[in-house]
């Protein structure tokens, strides 16, 4: 990589920027995880996580990438050969589905075009068709990080209720937690899956399962093999977790700081900030794309992601060339297009520890890279974004 002056702009949708406060919180010696100080720290973190997931249920913390807690959700609730319903939203739904199939689960995979979220009507129809009530779980990626499309979880919940189906609702909120509205208990989600390296502004390394009483009960009879991921020994009282092995102690120091920072800003304010920065990004993309050279991968206005935008280039143009230029000449790291979007789209992560001038820097780097790569686009995307951001922030909650 070319030596560069100044700071690099990190706009992958995970890992994300880590604030100084979080780096400093970790910068200390580890402690005995069986001493009272650590027990207190862990309890504070569980309370903070319950607040963040909006749940009264238990939250389990694993030393893990997101993939690990994906696995934990299945092995603790399902048995070999059981049916689950999933929706094709993009690369993450695809990889998660393949994991389920690897465990011998029979996945009904509702097809999608990678431009829209899970379709509540299709979920309802599939559940109504299941007269035997054999489908064990509906598993949905809340924010599909490969496409920048958010599924409408309240409507999915409504679809399950309308079909009067007892399936568990399992949701991947890895790239929406602490960036977008998420309500575990209101939406009666049974397992919510989170990770540390996205909206929480932490290093990679922690994975979360927030679990409902219904999920815990299902776990008693689930028969997929499980050992490291087994919830049961970790939750002797059904609420606060016991460690069966060494926790990532220093990441807990950081987690406590991250939760404090989110509480100081306020969750509605955090969501509103993400909405504004995302909308500014979308205004820039629309301005670039007026002649059809680039467009947002997300199609529906009520499904645009507030944590990541995927930008699709006209056929014949190479998104990897745009990414290489942004990285090597303009010190800005963008996300790659994944699977079928490889080379066709790049992604701007706009989640976590981010403000207006940071985002404008990234958008300026994108505009320069589009120009340098010869991708047809209109100038003026950055101008559109700063016009939007300069207008007074609307009063009221996040949209
Ligand atoms: C990042 C991400 C994952 C995977 O997380 P890893 O830590 O890379 O395993 C899964 N789902 C979604 C929606 C993500 O954004």
């Amino acid at each position: 990589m070319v030596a560069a002056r100044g700071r690099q702009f990190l706009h992958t949708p995970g890992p994300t920027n880590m604030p100084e406060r979080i780096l400093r919180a970790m910068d200390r010696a580890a402690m005995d995880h069986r001493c009272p100080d650590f027990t207190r720290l862990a309890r504070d973190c569980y309370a903070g996580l319950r607040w963040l997931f909006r749940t009264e249920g238990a939250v389990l913390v694993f030393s893990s990438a997101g993939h690990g807690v994906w696995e934990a959700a299945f092995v603790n609730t399902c048995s070999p050969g059981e049916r689950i319903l999933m929706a094709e939203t993009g690369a993450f739904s695809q990889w998660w589905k393949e994991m389920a199939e690897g465990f011998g689960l029979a996945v009904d995979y509702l097809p999608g075009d990678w431009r829209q979220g899970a379709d509540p009507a299709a979920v309802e129809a599939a559940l109504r068709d299941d007269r035997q009530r054999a489908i064990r779980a509906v598993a949905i990626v809340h924010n599909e990080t490969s496409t920048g499309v958010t599924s409408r979880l309240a409507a999915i919940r409504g679809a399950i209720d309308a079909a009067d189906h007892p399936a568990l609702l399992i949701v991947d909120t890895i790239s929406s937690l602490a960036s977008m509205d998420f309500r575990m208990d209101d939406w009666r989600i049974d397992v919510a899956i989170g990770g540390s390296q996205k909206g929480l502004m932490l290093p990679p390394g922690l994975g979360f399962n927030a679990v409902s009483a219904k999920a815990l009960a299902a776990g008693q009879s689930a028969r997929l093999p499980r050992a490291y991921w087994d919830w049961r020994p970790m939750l002797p009282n059904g609420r606060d977790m016991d460690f069966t092995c060494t926790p990532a102690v220093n990441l807990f120091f950081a987690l406590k700081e991250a939760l404090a920072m989110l509480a100081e800003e306020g969750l509605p304010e955090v969501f509103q900030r993400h909405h504004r920065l995302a909308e500014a990004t979308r205004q820039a993309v629309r301005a670039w794309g007026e002649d059809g050279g680039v467009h947002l991968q997300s199609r529906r206005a009520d499904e645009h992601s507030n944590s990541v935008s995927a930008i699709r280039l006209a056929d014949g143009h190479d998104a990897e060339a745009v990414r290489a230029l942004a990285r090597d000449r303009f010190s800005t790291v963008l996300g790659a297009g994944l699977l079928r979007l490889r080379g066709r789209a790049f992604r701007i992560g706009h989640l976590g520890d981010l403000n207006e001038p940071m985002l404008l820097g990234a958008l300026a780097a994108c505009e320069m890279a589009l120009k340098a790569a010869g991708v047809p686009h209109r100038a003026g995307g950055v101008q559109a974004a700063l016009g939007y951001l300069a207008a007074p922030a609307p009063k009221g909650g996040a949209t």
Side-chain angles (χ1 to χ4, degrees):
M1 189 156 151
V2 183
R5 306 242 175 248
R7 57 170 284 251
Q8 190 187 59
F9 283 63
L10 179 64
H11 285 272
T12 44
T16 63
N17 295 294
M18 290 183 259
E20 281 295 314
R21 271 177 68 175
I22 287 180
L23 293 171
R24 295 292 79 82
M26 286 189 295
D27 183 12
R28 51 181 287 200
M31 59 163 76
D32 171 19
H33 61 283
R34 308 214 187 269
C35 76
D37 281 353
F38 188 77
T39 305
R40 258 192 302 277
L41 168 69
R43 290 232 170 93
D44 288 347
C45 288
Y46 302 143
L49 287 168
R50 282 196 287 268
W51 164 78
L52 183 60
F53 278 96
R54 310 272 295 266
T55 185
E56 299 292 322
V59 184
L60 294 107
V61 183
F62 291 93
S63 301
S64 168
H67 278 67
V69 277
W70 264 356
E71 177 169 334
F74 287 143
V75 297
N76 279 289
T77 55
C78 298
S79 297
E82 253 174 358
R83 286 173 64 193
I84 63 171
L85 180 66
M86 298 183 77
E88 177 182 14
T89 48
F92 285 94
S93 75
Q94 181 69 29
W95 289 321
W96 197 18
K97 168 197 172 260
E98 287 166 10
M99 175 184 278
E101 288 172 340
F103 279 109
L105 297 173
V107 181
D108 294 339
Y109 197 41
L110 298 170
D113 66 358
W114 291 42
R115 298 200 64 188
Q116 297 181 72
D119 176 6
V123 169
E124 182 179 337
L127 294 176
R128 279 189 194 282
D129 272 358
D130 175 29
R131 299 237 158 68
Q132 314 295 321
R133 298 298 188 241
I135 293 174
R136 162 61 77 185
V138 178
I140 301 288
V141 176
H142 181 207
N143 186 66
E144 176 52 75
T145 318
S146 66
T147 60
V149 175
T150 308
S151 285
R152 290 163 288 144
L153 287 181
I156 300 285
R157 174 75 260 170
I160 299 171
D161 292 346
D164 194 21
H165 197 291
L168 298 166
L169 177 56
I170 302 179
V171 173
D172 169 344
T173 176
I174 294 177
S175 64
S176 46
L177 188 68
S179 310
M180 283 182 259
D181 193 16
F182 182 83
R183 305 184 210 170
M184 168 116 183
D185 288 0
D186 282 359
W187 296 336
R188 278 178 290 125
I189 291 164
D190 295 297
V191 187
I193 298 157
S196 53
Q197 77 271 32
K198 305 201 181 185
L200 272 163
M201 313 172 284
L202 296 168
L206 293 181
F208 312 114
N209 274 176
V211 295
S212 72
K214 183 174 163 185
L216 284 177
Q220 299 303 324
S221 54
R223 281 180 291 102
L224 280 179
R226 52 185 147 157
Y228 179 69
W229 305 112
D230 196 341
W231 293 339
R232 292 167 298 181
M234 300 171 78
L235 277 182
N237 66 8
R239 187 162 164 94
D240 274 344
M241 190 179 115
D242 255 10
F243 292 101
T244 50
C245 57
T246 314
V249 171
N250 290 58
L251 290 178
F252 273 79
F253 299 147
L255 174 59
K256 185 170 177 197
E257 193 68 19
L259 291 164
M261 289 175 73
L262 292 167
E264 284 164 24
E265 187 176 355
L267 272 191
E269 289 75 13
V270 169
F271 299 152
Q272 182 62 30
R273 174 169 55 82
H274 280 82
H275 171 76
R276 272 169 57 72
L277 297 176
E279 187 53 35
T281 305
R282 295 190 281 266
Q283 303 252 348
V285 177
R286 282 186 204 112
W288 291 329
E290 272 174 20
D291 299 332
V294 303
H295 64 255
L296 267 187
Q297 181 69 13
S298 174
R299 205 199 296 272
R300 291 177 53 130
D302 60 351
E303 292 182 343
H304 292 330
S305 167
N306 287 339
S307 63
V308 55
S309 297
I311 293 124
R312 179 75 176 265
L313 307 190
D315 286 347
H317 295 279
D318 180 11
E320 284 304 290
V322 175
R323 250 171 38 89
L325 282 161
R327 184 184 61 228
D328 298 340
R329 280 185 59 191
F330 306 121
S331 302
T332 297
V333 184
L334 304 169
L338 300 175
L339 296 182
R340 74 161 77 148
L341 293 178
R342 176 127 205 110
R344 295 166 171 267
F346 66 86
R347 295 173 298 148
I348 305 176
H350 34 71
L351 72 167
D353 187 41
L354 202 68
N355 61 22
E356 287 84 350
M358 291 163 82
L359 179 78
L360 288 168
L363 294 176
C366 288
E367 194 162 325
M368 289 187 285
L370 287 170
K371 196 172 174 67
V375 174
H377 70 287
R378 287 245 193 126
V382 174
Q383 196 62 40
L386 64 87
Y388 171 80
L389 291 172
K395 294 257 184 303
T399 45

